[in-house]
Amino acid sequence: MSKIDLSKNKAVLEAARDAVLNDTTANRYVIFGYADSGQSNSLVVEEEEEGGLEELVSEFNSGRYQYGLTGVQSDGKGVKQILIIWQGEGTPILRKSACAHHAADVTKFMNVTMTVKARSEEELDADLIRNQLDKSSKY
């Protein structure tokens, strides 16, 4: 089992992460993936855009293992940051297994309120994700 490399592109990763974590409008998102078309263990920024959760969920690649970071307005609680751990249905099984071991390190690095794991397009429903966030932040 090989570890994820968060140091090679650390400055770029932190800048992208911090742009989302400091966004009070819940409009920015970032998709992180693996270098070399997903074959490396070095995390890279694949996409930085505006559009929030709705845009983010439509941008994942079905053949890749990716991480999406965005803010979401939570009922009466302000903006909460979430990390979506996307395991595309077309991702090779050996790659899924290797990347599954990276999720804890990536979650810690992102410093988020909540993580959501998604393995199919149906699980990338913005309303479903918002409901999960609202339920988790009631206390």
Side-chain angles (χ1 to χ4, degrees), residues 2 9 11 28 31 52 62 73 110 112 123:
S2 53
N9 304 301
R28 296 188 60 78
I31 294 179
S62 64
Q73 278 297 128
M110 295 301 170
V112 293
E123 293 176 334

Side-chain angles (χ1 to χ4, degrees), residues 114-116 127-137:
M114 180 180 150
T115 60
V116 174
D127 292 331
L128 179 69
I129 293 169
R130 262 193 207 86
N131 288 341
Q132 289 177 3
L133 179 65
D134 287 341
K135 284 180 186 175
S136 74
S137 63

Side-chain angles (χ1 to χ4, degrees), residues 58-92:
S58 70
E59 295 299 321
F60 286 110
N61 181 321
S62 64
R64 303 278 299 275
Y65 203 105
Q66 297 170 303
Y67 306 90
L69 179 65
T70 192
V72 177
Q73 278 297 128
S74 182
D75 291 339
K77 304 275 186 184
V79 176
K80 301 286 185 179
Q81 287 76 29
I82 63 166
L83 177 68
I84 299 173
I85 301 171
W86 169 244
Q87 184 177 321
E89 294 173 273
T91 306

Side-chain angles (χ1 to χ4, degrees), residues 1 8 16 40 42 71 79 81 92 97 116:
M1 171 178 52
K8 184 176 183 181
S40 167
S42 294
V79 176
Q81 287 76 29
S97 176
V116 174

Side-chain angles (χ1 to χ4, degrees), residues 4 9 15 28 42 53 67 69 95 102 108 113 132 138:
I4 188 166
N9 304 301
R28 296 188 60 78
S42 294
L53 180 61
Y67 306 90
L69 179 65
R95 192 66 190 147
H102 301 160
K108 183 178 178 184
T113 308
Q132 289 177 3
K138 282 189 175 178

